[in-house]
Amino acid sequence: MELEIVWLVRAAWITVWIVSILPLVIASIPSSKLNSFRELVLSFAGRGKILHPSSQKFTIPQKCFAHFYVIGVVWTTLLLAATWMYACKMAPLSSEEFQLSDIASRLAGGSHVFSFYKSHMTPVEHRLKVWRALFLLLLMEIHVLRRLIESFYVFKYSPSARMHILGYFAGLFFYVTAPLSLCSNIAPEVARFAGNHVAEFIANGKSHTSAPEFNLLSSISPFMKLGSLQWIGGAIFLWGWIHQRRCHAILGSLRENPSQAKEYIIPYGDWFGMVSCPHFLAEIVLYAGLLIASGGTDITIWLLFGFVAANLTYAAGETHRWYLRKFENYPANRHAIFPYVY
């Protein structure tokens, strides 16, 4: 079952790459013969100010972006809670119980609570894998929670800002698949664990169901046993997270007055001094942090990161060209998304 879920998630990402990212790559080729194709791609991928004027059909208000983060918060919270309970109950990392169970497992020739997990990993390695996935989900939760708050209290979308309905569905897909990608390799066992508890509750009722024990120290201390890659990745994630929050605050401040609702202004401050879309750059940085924190060995998370980087790089290029057309005095030293490169 584990391999089925992993490969289903990977197949979903590969399909999205073929359907959405490949056309973006082709549309980015600087050839006049591709102008019609480029306009077609932009009509589906564009949003807000970079949405093609002739593509207003099948569009919805850009403020529907908030739906992505509602879904993202609910789904990530569910995965985080289930995985955390599973990790504390079935994959302890800091107790005599963990040490004794590991020794007993070795004496028993490798038979242990994870006997259904078919691999050459030791119990210790597998438990570390569980807590790494939990760490990634915790970072994702921090991200989507902030994005949800910003969608209601920071961003002030122009009344005319629209997005294509296909882009809307792509966003919903992303915020369901991205959190799952961070824990897909342990999702089956977590699902079985949660399903057993639900079945017990249904069969026995609340009064006869064993309540999960909670110990704050044992719920947090295992994070201290994670490796240096997790902490380096976490630091990079927070670096991108902080700068994205600052850049979003700058963009939101440009429309603090109702009279500015339809007005476009050149943003300044933070990473805007180097690139036109620093909030996109920060998003790529924080997902790079997730990739590094994962250990960099899971192809599913590489597919996730590649999707984010390719999609935002294309959007940044179109946004940068829009700024250059819109403002004659636009800063000439700014690049689209990557300082001094593009």
Side-chain angles (χ1 to χ4, degrees), residues 74-123:
V74 171
W75 179 230
T76 306
T77 301
L78 180 63
L79 290 174
L80 179 64
T83 305
W84 211 325
M85 286 189 291
Y86 174 78
C88 292
K89 184 76 173 178
M90 308 299 288
L93 268 181
S94 59
S95 66
E96 291 183 4
E97 175 190 3
F98 165 67
Q99 296 172 1
L100 290 174
S101 65
D102 186 46
I103 294 171
S105 173
R106 292 176 181 275
L107 291 175
S111 176
H112 53 86
V113 70
F114 301 111
S115 58
F116 58 82
Y117 183 76
K118 307 297 183 182
S119 81
H120 297 292
M121 300 177 71
T122 67

Side-chain angles (χ1 to χ4, degrees), residues 17-53:
W17 266 82
I18 295 172
V19 172
S20 62
I21 300 303
L22 183 58
L24 294 183
V25 173
I26 296 173
S28 300
I29 298 174
S31 172
S32 58
K33 296 180 180 180
L34 294 173
N35 286 342
S36 298
F37 180 77
R38 192 174 296 113
E39 289 181 6
L40 177 64
V41 170
L42 194 55
S43 67
F44 292 112
R47 59 181 182 267
K49 54 182 171 287
I50 65 171
L51 183 66
H52 199 274

Side-chain angles (χ1 to χ4, degrees), residues 4-20:
E4 290 178 0
I5 290 183
V6 170
W7 282 106
L8 279 174
V9 174
R10 290 178 183 178
W13 281 120
I14 292 171
T15 302
V16 169
W17 266 82
I18 295 172
V19 172
S20 62

Side-chain angles (χ1 to χ4, degrees), residues 179-255:
L180 184 59
S181 299
L182 301 177
C183 63
S184 62
N185 50 11
I186 64 164
E189 58 207 71
V190 174
R192 281 193 288 269
F193 172 80
N196 289 339
H197 277 272
V198 171
E200 181 186 359
F201 178 82
I202 294 174
N204 302 328
K206 183 178 180 180
S207 58
H208 296 88
T209 302
S210 58
E213 298 179 0
F214 178 77
N215 183 293
L216 182 61
L217 181 60
S218 64
S219 300
I220 297 176
S221 59
F223 288 119
M224 299 298 105
K225 294 184 177 292
L226 295 178
S228 57
L229 276 180
Q230 282 68 60
W231 295 112
I232 292 172
I236 292 173
F237 171 92
L238 289 176
W239 181 47
W241 189 94
I242 290 170
H243 280 284
Q244 189 176 63
R245 184 190 66 81
R246 291 174 180 172
C247 294
H248 283 170
I250 291 170
L251 290 173
S253 68
L254 300 179
R255 287 183 174 162

Side-chain angles (χ1 to χ4, degrees), residues 43-47 58-71 162-176:
S43 67
F44 292 112
R47 59 181 182 267
F58 303 116
T59 61
I60 59 175
Q62 195 174 355
K63 64 182 179 181
C64 291
F65 255 69
H67 299 173
F68 303 159
Y69 309 125
V70 171
I71 294 294
R162 312 283 295 180
M163 62 185 298
H164 198 278
I165 189 68
L166 291 181
Y168 175 76
F169 286 128
L172 294 178
F173 164 84
F174 180 84
Y175 281 100
V176 169

